[in-house]
Amino acid sequence: MKDEGGAAKEKGGLMKALSVVPLQAGSAALCDVDEPPVSDGPILVETLAVGICGTDIEILSGAYGWSPPGRSRLVLGHESLGRVLEAPDNGPVAPGDLVVGIVRRPDPVPCSSCAVLEWDFCRNGQYTERGIKEHDGYLSERYRITADFVVKVDPQLGVLGVLLEPTSVVAKAWEEVDRIGARAHWEPRTVLVTGAGPIGLLAALLGVQRGLEVHVLDRMSEGIKPDLVRALGARYHSGRIGDLGLHPDVIIECTGVSSVLLDAMSNIGVGGVMCLTGVSSGGHEISFDEGALNRSMVLENVAVVGSVNANRRHYEAAASALAAADPDWLSRLITRRVPLTAWSEALTRHDDDVKVIIEVQPSTAAAS
Ligand SMILES: [Zn+2]
């Protein structure tokens, strides 16, 4: 292992990090902070890029987030890509490797799920999450981590490795679908993905990789989303699901919009599995026939499951899925790249945004 204080000495012991005071809108600031403490882990990583998602926007707006115990500020960033600067000899990663840090950490009790490293199923809610809940995120020039929470990325992917964390979320959703489907004879042919944001598009990618006939539905009738869906060899739809004449074996719901969710649930095929990944904002009452829904779910053996977060197994499945994907298609998902110094531009949504990333080390980010 190299001198662990080397990088810190070169940089005068300080680095840039984007942090917020959780639950305080307008508190985001790019500040000088101390180099990551060695107590965070023996692996030192320089952050290359960080993806921005709806959770970050919620944290920035003051609606969500928890700072680490005894501190007021939380470093943002959970969709990361970095390059290893220092690592113990003969470990799973070596200097120069491209890596992604896992977001969630098991709760300290631990609950029965965290005890077997299925922290995505944490039962007591005492887990922590880097960049979200009581643990600094990855939006700093460097971070430290232990080998258990770092995942290697195919070097060919370069900066596209920043898509690994959102892909881990859909890898888990697909694992749930596969496992529930396998309760009986299971030969799925069609999948409908509702929502063509980054999660929906990555869910569609994994559907295509499984050899399924993939349909994606979103509000937009033209633009980059339909183009990206068609480039996958999938079919794009806008409008109501009930009008499509489609009864898919699998539905991956990525909008969290109640009307879309119920429309989808009402049109799933016999023995179908529907996985919910979007979070509804609540408070919107819509009328629907619960009796008819109950009847079709029972008589047609329909399963509906919710899915959140990802454990190490899902990150590894995601790393394989990205390595097998067309890099040109993946690079089209990243619609804007903003340097760290202009971070606020990354937080303003544009109509044609799919995935926006902040490049922390633009000069050294691997080619894509
Ligand atoms: Zn737990």
Side-chain angles (χ1 to χ4, degrees):
M1 189 171 138
K2 289 185 209 164
D3 170 21
E4 59 200 7
K9 280 172 200 151
E10 285 160 27
K11 304 278 175 182
L14 290 175
M15 61 174 180
K16 297 276 183 220
L18 184 64
S19 66
V20 295
V21 178
L23 309 183
Q24 197 173 306
S27 62
L30 186 61
C31 302
D32 286 324
V33 299
D34 290 337
E35 287 286 336
V38 177
S39 57
D40 279 359
I43 300 169
L44 178 66
V45 180
E46 80 174 326
T47 308
L48 301 179
V50 168
I52 299 298
C53 80
T55 303
D56 297 301
I57 308 284
E58 270 192 82
I59 294 172
L60 284 148
S61 73
Y64 200 66
W66 296 258
S67 57
R71 300 223 334 253
S72 61
R73 300 193 76 87
L74 168 77
V75 175
L76 269 181
H78 59 278
E79 298 184 2
S80 69
L81 173 73
R83 183 185 286 123
V84 175
L85 293 175
E86 297 171 4
D89 292 338
N90 307 316
V93 298
D97 284 347
L98 291 185
V99 293
V100 167
I102 290 175
V103 176
R104 195 175 280 194
R105 298 289 180 274
D107 77 78
V109 176
C111 74
S112 58
S113 295
C114 287
V116 295
L117 308 182
E118 291 192 346
W119 50 74
D120 54 318
F121 269 84
C122 182
R123 282 156 202 275
N124 64 21
Q126 295 178 44
Y127 60 81
T128 59
E129 288 177 334
R130 288 197 77 149
I132 301 172
K133 187 169 183 276
E134 300 170 9
H135 200 142
D136 278 337
Y138 297 114
L139 239 176
S140 52
E141 289 181 281
R142 283 165 294 282
Y143 66 87
R144 283 187 174 274
I145 194 163
T146 58
D148 302 352
F149 294 100
V150 81
V151 181
K152 232 162 120 168
V153 176
D154 185 336
Q156 302 286 332
L157 281 171
V159 75
L160 301 175
V162 77
L163 297 170
L164 187 67
E165 194 278 341
T167 308
S168 74
V169 169
V170 300
K172 172 178 170 182
W174 272 108
E175 184 189 86
E176 295 219 47
V177 168
D178 293 341
R179 289 181 172 194
I180 294 165
R183 72 202 151 146
H185 176 71
W186 179 237
E187 245 178 82
R189 282 195 322 106
T190 53
V191 53
L192 170 66
V193 176
T194 49
I199 294 290
L201 289 165
L202 290 166
L205 167 70
L206 268 65
V208 169
Q209 289 182 341
R210 281 168 158 71
L212 299 176
E213 179 188 305
V214 179
H215 298 259
V216 179
L217 179 128
D218 197 293
R219 284 175 301 185
M220 304 290 215
S221 55
E222 54 189 33
I224 188 169
K225 290 176 175 179
D227 289 351
L228 282 165
V229 169
R230 289 182 197 116
L232 264 185
R235 295 180 209 178
Y236 187 86
H237 309 274
S238 52
R240 280 178 54 85
I241 298 163
D243 299 335
L244 302 179
L246 200 62
H247 300 289
D249 302 305
V250 176
I251 297 178
I252 311 277
E253 207 298 304
C254 307
T255 69
V257 176
S258 318
S259 55
V260 174
L261 191 152
L262 287 169
D263 197 12
M265 215 181 271
S266 308
N267 286 282
I268 195 163
V270 174
V273 181
M274 176 164 173
C275 186
L276 311 180
T277 69
V279 180
S280 300
S281 48
H284 304 287
E285 282 196 20
I286 55 172
S287 64
F288 75 102
D289 186 341
E290 301 95 331
L293 185 63
N294 166 280
R295 189 176 168 81
S296 65
M297 283 187 71
V298 172
L299 297 183
E300 297 176 0
N301 292 295
V302 168
V304 179
V305 62
S307 181
V308 71
N309 198 256
N311 65 42
R312 185 173 188 98
R313 186 171 73 241
H314 308 123
Y315 277 79
E316 285 168 355
S320 303
L322 288 184
D326 173 8
D328 291 334
W329 185 83
L330 292 176
S331 70
R332 291 174 66 195
L333 293 186
I334 300 177
T335 43
R336 281 195 295 136
R337 302 171 183 213
V338 175
L340 181 59
T341 47
W343 58 271
S344 61
E345 288 172 24
L347 311 173
T348 327
R349 281 194 176 160
H350 296 189
D351 280 348
D352 49 357
D353 280 342
V354 178
K355 176 56 70 185
V356 178
I357 67 169
I358 293 178
E359 290 190 306
V360 181
Q361 299 281 352
S363 57
T364 54
S368 63

